[in-house]
Amino acid sequence: MRNWISRRDIIKGSASLGLTAFATRVMAAAPAPVSITPDLVGAAKKEGKVILYSSMDLPVGEKLGKAFEAAYPGIAVQIERSGSERLFQRVDQEFASNIRAVDVINTSDASHIISWKRNGWLAPYVTEDIAQHFLPEFRDPDGMSATSRIYLSSIAYNTKLVKPEDAPKSWADLLDPKWAGKMVKGHPAYSGTIMTATFQLVRELGWEYLEKLSKQRVMQVQSSTDPPKKLALGERAVMADGNEYGVVLLKEAGQPVEPVYPTEGTPTISGPTAIFATAPHPNAARLFQAWLHTRETQQFFADYTAQYSAHAQVQSKPGRRKISDLKLMKEDPAGVEAAAEDIKTRYAKLFRV
């Protein structure tokens, strides 16, 4: 699990900008917003395919791809799914080898946009929906990306193995000796979600917290999508991190799981989507990006995945918790970019993975 490429080999220096300012050099202003036109659809159908690199859980990505294919018959969606940190490495390796395979990418580590934008690898593209209904903090100021999904990395527990009154209520509760050998969590060197969440936990609670957690004999998995599944199967009683939406969907399907929103705050993850300037199917890429950020698609995506949308017109599905009701930890992509290599190194040493 430790044979990753050093991000220091990829990124020269670190950004000191926040979520609302991904640029690290002066760039042109964002292009004028555009709508989906018959000419764009026609050009995309001539290309016949769009290649999406995605960190979404594969069933989620496939459902999204099939919805696009139904909306635009004749255009196939090819999904290459992996953890965001692995996708980051893959893109770097492909560009180093002069391979230009990816059209569109969705990452769960927003700091990747900073690097790709600095390298000049992204193409500006702004739709009317993005311009009108996404707050500035959810779209790149130069039009290089937009936040397609927002979700959380929470605690959770198996309701057959843990009584509600005994369940952890905070991150600090996970350090109780009674949870030793009973927890599962993801890995920040594989998952952008876990990288982002780990950065927020370290910032708020310090490395001392993770040092103590590492002594709890925690089951280590890769993707943030894995802990909810391990929890539902009863392989572990408590989820120490992982995506909250997976727990919500499993609970709605009748599985014995319950999410917990820690008293200290829940890490927040945004998943931006961007088009590469060297996209082999540029028109299909633009059509997919435009379609993905319409109100209709964002509402469908939020309803189906139990994630949250940055589109101002999207409503929470009845019966689900609203993100505005939760205490959240603040995301900081530039901070993640600066700390990522240190997080990987120190985490591997602490958890011995």
Side-chain angles (χ1 to χ4, degrees):
M1 208 180 274
R2 297 185 60 183
N3 59 339
W4 53 73
I5 296 175
S6 166
R7 195 180 289 207
R8 288 197 184 101
D9 294 334
I10 299 172
I11 302 169
K12 304 300 182 182
S14 62
S16 58
L17 305 174
L19 180 61
T20 59
F22 287 125
T24 54
R25 58 189 174 89
V26 177
M27 302 188 72
V34 297
S35 59
I36 296 175
T37 65
D39 286 344
L40 176 61
V41 175
K45 287 189 174 183
K46 286 183 180 179
E47 293 170 352
K49 177 192 289 189
V50 61
I51 299 174
L52 170 66
Y53 284 16
S54 173
S55 63
M56 299 177 196
D57 199 8
L58 188 56
V60 171
E62 289 179 340
K63 182 80 171 182
L64 194 67
K66 291 185 183 301
F68 178 79
E69 292 172 349
Y72 299 102
I75 309 174
V77 180
Q78 178 181 325
I79 300 174
E80 300 291 331
R81 196 274 165 190
S82 188
S84 286
E85 304 309 312
R86 297 293 172 85
L87 287 176
F88 184 77
Q89 296 168 13
R90 176 173 175 173
V91 168
D92 186 73
Q93 290 168 341
E94 288 181 350
F95 271 74
S97 301
N98 202 31
I99 296 172
R100 304 292 185 264
V102 57
D103 289 312
V104 182
I105 195 162
N106 175 267
T107 178
S108 56
D109 184 340
S111 75
H112 295 165
I113 299 297
I114 299 173
S115 176
W116 293 328
K117 182 176 175 179
R118 183 191 298 118
N119 292 345
W121 291 354
L122 302 180
Y125 186 69
V126 180
T127 69
E128 291 178 348
D129 268 286
I130 292 172
Q132 294 176 14
H133 302 298
F134 286 68
L135 292 173
E137 58 262 39
F138 297 122
R139 49 187 168 89
D140 178 76
D142 298 309
M144 299 296 181
S145 68
T147 298
S148 310
R149 55 194 184 116
I150 302 168
Y151 56 102
L152 309 175
S153 180
S154 68
I155 298 172
Y157 65 96
N158 182 297
T159 56
K160 288 185 177 180
L161 301 176
V162 181
K163 296 178 181 179
E165 59 268 27
D166 297 330
K169 305 297 190 296
S170 67
W171 297 109
D173 287 349
L174 299 183
L175 304 181
D176 191 312
K178 72 180 181 180
W179 301 124
K182 298 180 180 180
M183 290 186 286
V184 59
K185 73 183 303 299
H187 199 301
Y190 179 89
S191 168
T193 298
I194 304 304
M195 171 62 75
T196 303
T198 302
F199 170 82
Q200 293 175 41
L201 287 173
V202 168
R203 182 190 62 203
E204 301 298 327
L205 306 178
W207 276 106
E208 296 83 3
Y209 171 76
L210 283 180
E211 182 177 359
K212 293 176 182 177
L213 185 66
S214 70
K215 297 175 181 178
Q216 289 282 68
R217 304 197 313 276
V218 181
M219 174 190 279
Q220 182 70 66
V221 293
Q222 289 188 325
S223 174
S224 70
T225 66
D226 293 332
K229 299 170 187 175
K230 296 291 185 183
L231 198 67
L233 290 170
E235 294 185 26
R236 287 296 185 273
V238 171
M239 183 177 93
D241 65 19
N243 62 58
E244 172 250 9
Y245 68 85
V247 178
V248 172
L249 291 174
L250 286 167
K251 180 182 177 181
E252 290 179 351
Q255 294 297 310
V257 295
E258 185 68 33
V260 173
Y261 304 94
T263 56
E264 303 96 333
T266 305
T268 308
I269 294 90
S270 64
T273 301
I275 300 171
F276 278 84
T278 53
H281 311 98
N283 293 296
R286 286 192 284 270
L287 180 60
F288 184 87
Q289 179 80 334
W291 171 84
L292 179 60
H293 295 95
T294 61
R295 183 193 64 78
E296 293 78 11
T297 302
Q298 285 285 296
Q299 187 68 64
F300 158 77
F301 185 79
D303 289 347
Y304 175 71
T305 68
Q307 297 177 50
Y308 307 95
S309 175
H311 195 297
Q313 295 180 329
V314 172
Q315 301 295 316
S316 297
K317 189 175 181 178
R320 287 183 181 161
R321 189 182 296 266
K322 294 182 179 180
I323 196 170
S324 58
D325 295 335
L326 301 172
K327 181 180 179 180
L328 304 176
M329 291 184 181
K330 187 178 180 182
E331 191 175 15
D332 178 8
V336 173
E337 187 193 28
E341 194 60 32
D342 183 55
I343 288 173
K344 289 180 181 179
T345 301
R346 296 182 70 168
Y347 186 94
K349 187 176 297 184
L350 285 177
F351 286 87
R352 299 182 180 181
V353 288

